[in-house]
Amino acid sequence: MASFFKCTPWHSAGKWLWPIVFASMLCACLFPGWATAVRAQTPDDSLYAVLFLGKDDREVYLNDLRFAFKTLINDYGYTKENVIVLKRGGLFLDLDGDLLDDVDYSATKANLDQAFTDLQAVMTNNDVFFFFATDHGYWSGSDCNDAGLEGYEGEDIPEEDLVSYVDRLDSPTCRIVKILLFVTCGAGGMIPEFKALDTPLMIATASTACEIAHYDDDDCQHAPTSCNYTAYSFWWFSALHGSHPDGTPVDADKNNDGSVSIYEAATFARENDEYVDEDADHIEHPLYWDSNCLCGRTTTLNGVLPNLPALIAFPYPCHGPWPCRWNTERCPWPRQGSAERGIEGPIAASASAASR
């Protein structure tokens, strides 16, 4: 049975299963608490991540990496071997307090390419992939949709390359569940490129196109709670960790099912981000988008679907044995969010010039 779930072509399951698929999707919509993942500390070698910090290793970005790394390892069962960390010049950095170096590569375009090549060789159907980028991004063009990351020594990593890296994790018979979080300037401009992929994908960004992603590492007057972290990532990881880094508890479990989904984390982060404030001097409008009706509400960082009846768990469209090919046109239910409107309400660009 285990081998069937690895890389079985969708058509081999047989037409008789499609009524079960539809019934499962309907049940998941009617009872969303049945299909939301929970935290688990048991190591799981089906979970993989890439954490990227490009050209600036100021403490606020190092704190982002530490919070992300410890949440993945301690709360969701990622193994250190499966978490690839790229940081500026590749110098020593202990992310979890064990006095060991957790950095794998310097943050160059070639090394990021290599990281995805390494993962492509080992990942298989329904494995979970998480990508987190903090530090600097850029945008250009009249609509600000030519966007990307800045790597070590200011090297540009365009969105086209990032999309290509993510896309090649899949194969004709294997679909990887992908969760992407960007807290870099102008990151929302990359969403249209990612939307074109035919893959199970969730993407959250701290900012729209043409917009700066914010943090407070000065006097902490504007963002006293998230001070010394990028604001959006602070609240996003707090939601999934269940507390702030200092242990102050938070509750992002909106449907009270005992776990926090990616959609709930994105919603919670947007609601608490100190820079989502029309009266603030500096404004950001976080965005969230996913590739089908259910993935964001039924997925967390480890992709586990707990306590599901076999009828529902077996053919589940985001995590089942078949490629996840549900898109906007084929999706029978209203979408959770979109790049055009964010999670809730209209958005507005706050700048028009290119940013670094």
Side-chain angles (χ1 to χ4, degrees):
M1 178 64 73
S3 62
F4 178 78
F5 277 85
K6 285 298 181 182
C7 286
T8 303
W10 67 270
H11 51 76
S12 66
K15 293 182 179 180
W16 62 273
L17 283 174
W18 284 110
I20 302 177
V21 174
F22 179 78
S24 302
M25 293 172 65
L26 181 60
C27 288
C29 285
L30 295 176
F31 306 103
W34 287 8
T36 306
V38 295
R39 293 193 293 164
Q41 296 182 1
T42 304
D44 186 342
D45 62 7
S46 71
L47 309 174
Y48 298 84
V50 170
L51 309 182
F52 184 88
L53 188 162
K55 73 171 189 177
D56 188 344
D57 60 358
R58 69 184 66 189
E59 195 65 19
V60 64
Y61 300 132
L62 298 180
N63 285 339
D64 285 352
L65 279 190
R66 294 185 183 106
F67 199 5
F69 188 83
K70 289 189 283 189
T71 300
L72 294 176
I73 302 297
N74 297 334
D75 296 337
Y76 289 91
Y78 286 70
T79 65
K80 290 188 178 183
E81 295 76 16
N82 286 2
V83 179
I84 301 175
V85 179
L86 298 94
K87 181 188 78 75
R88 200 168 179 264
L91 299 178
F92 178 95
L93 180 63
D94 173 18
L95 291 173
D96 60 352
D98 63 0
L99 303 182
L100 299 176
D101 186 16
D102 294 308
V103 176
D104 298 285
Y105 298 108
S106 61
T108 65
K109 180 179 176 181
N111 285 341
L112 185 58
D113 188 345
Q114 184 61 51
F116 277 87
T117 297
D118 294 344
L119 293 178
Q120 183 183 9
V122 296
M123 295 188 75
T124 188
N125 207 36
N126 300 312
D127 285 352
V128 175
F129 171 72
F130 174 64
F131 180 81
F132 173 54
T134 185
D135 189 17
H136 291 283
Y138 70 89
W139 71 74
S140 62
S142 58
D143 59 1
C144 305
N145 279 336
D146 293 325
L149 301 178
E150 285 195 47
Y152 183 46
E153 296 185 335
E155 179 184 30
D156 287 351
I157 306 175
E159 59 188 339
E160 293 84 0
D161 291 323
L162 295 170
V163 171
S164 175
Y165 299 158
V166 171
D167 187 38
R168 73 176 187 231
L169 294 177
D170 288 338
S171 72
T173 59
C174 289
R175 288 292 181 269
I176 307 301
V177 178
K178 305 170 190 70
I179 305 161
L180 313 179
L181 173 62
F182 295 89
V183 292
T184 54
C185 296
M190 294 188 281
I191 291 180
E193 294 284 338
F194 280 105
K195 286 173 66 175
L197 296 180
D198 182 15
T199 191
L201 175 72
M202 290 141 275
I203 179 170
T205 68
S207 61
T208 67
C210 308
E211 196 171 61
I212 294 172
H214 292 285
Y215 61 84
D216 187 347
D217 68 347
D218 186 12
D219 57 10
C220 298
Q221 293 300 305
H222 184 76
T225 304
S226 66
C227 184
N228 291 317
Y229 293 81
T230 56
Y232 186 70
S233 73
F234 175 91
W235 292 106
W236 203 88
F237 285 110
S238 291
L240 288 157
H241 177 55
S243 71
H244 300 165
D246 66 4
T248 303
V250 303
D251 183 8
D253 181 13
K254 283 184 172 290
N255 63 0
N256 297 312
D257 68 346
S259 58
V260 177
S261 68
I262 297 302
Y263 177 70
E264 286 176 319
T267 304
F268 180 83
R270 190 180 193 278
E271 290 173 347
N272 288 277
D273 185 335
E274 296 93 336
Y275 293 95
V276 182
D277 180 353
E278 296 300 334
D279 296 324
D281 293 331
H282 305 290
I283 303 172
E284 65 188 22
H285 298 85
L287 299 179
Y288 171 81
W289 183 87
D290 66 31
S291 59
N292 69 40
C293 316
L294 302 170
C295 282
R297 294 185 187 273
T298 60
T299 306
T300 195
L301 285 174
N302 58 9
V304 176
L305 298 176
N307 305 319
L308 291 178
L311 180 67
I312 296 175
F314 175 67
Y316 202 70
C318 192
H319 303 277
W322 307 287
C324 182
R325 295 181 177 275
W326 306 95
N327 62 23
T328 308
E329 288 70 33
R330 291 194 290 265
C331 188
W333 295 287
R335 297 188 51 75
Q336 298 173 15
S338 73
E340 288 74 28
R341 67 179 183 88
I343 290 179
E344 56 184 31
I347 62 173
S350 61
S352 59
S355 174
R356 292 285 176 178

